[in-house]
Every structure is written in structure tokens, then in C-alpha cells.
Amino acid sequence: METATLKIEGMTCNGCVSAVKKALERTDGVSSADVALDTGNARVTYDAARTSPARLRAAVEDAGYDVAA
């Protein structure tokens, strides 16, 4: 298992946190996603054989949020 930390931009409330968390957890290969509003970070544990940081980023962006480079 691998771990990635993504800096999420555009989250303003707990509803945003929930939307990002759900988007990440629905991504094939993700075992867990912890999203924090105060830091704007998402810490994701995933199977590198089934997904990648690029796919994690795409899941967040599809949910309507930005990932800082």
C-alpha cells in the first residue's frame, strides 16, 4: 500500500470534506481517505497496482475541487 497527501483547494465546509472523501473512497484501489478541512489535506492510502496519484487527483477534480500542484 502507498500513501499520498493531496492539498485540496475550494473546501469551505464539512459537506465539502464529505464530498471529497466519498470521491476518493469510490476510486478503485483506495483503502482509506482522511480529509481535513482545517489543513485542506487529504491523506489517501491506496494500492499502487490499482490506482495512481493522477487518478486520485482526477477523482477530486471530478467532484468539483482543485488539487494544488
Side-chain angles (χ1 to χ4, degrees):
M1 294 302 246
E2 300 282 333
T3 301
T5 300
L6 306 173
K7 180 70 175 169
I8 312 298
E9 297 176 339
M11 294 191 304
T12 59
C13 65
N14 286 328
C16 297
V17 169
S18 179
V20 170
K21 182 175 175 68
K22 285 179 186 175
L24 288 166
E25 288 178 340
R26 282 189 217 137
T27 303
D28 184 47
V30 171
S31 64
S32 69
D34 295 311
V35 183
L37 180 61
D38 59 338
T39 62
N41 288 336
R43 189 163 195 262
V44 186
T45 303
Y46 64 96
D47 180 348
R50 295 170 56 200
T51 195
S52 67
R55 287 189 184 148
L56 301 176
R57 179 186 198 110
V60 171
E61 290 172 347
D62 287 348
Y65 301 90
D66 293 320
V67 178

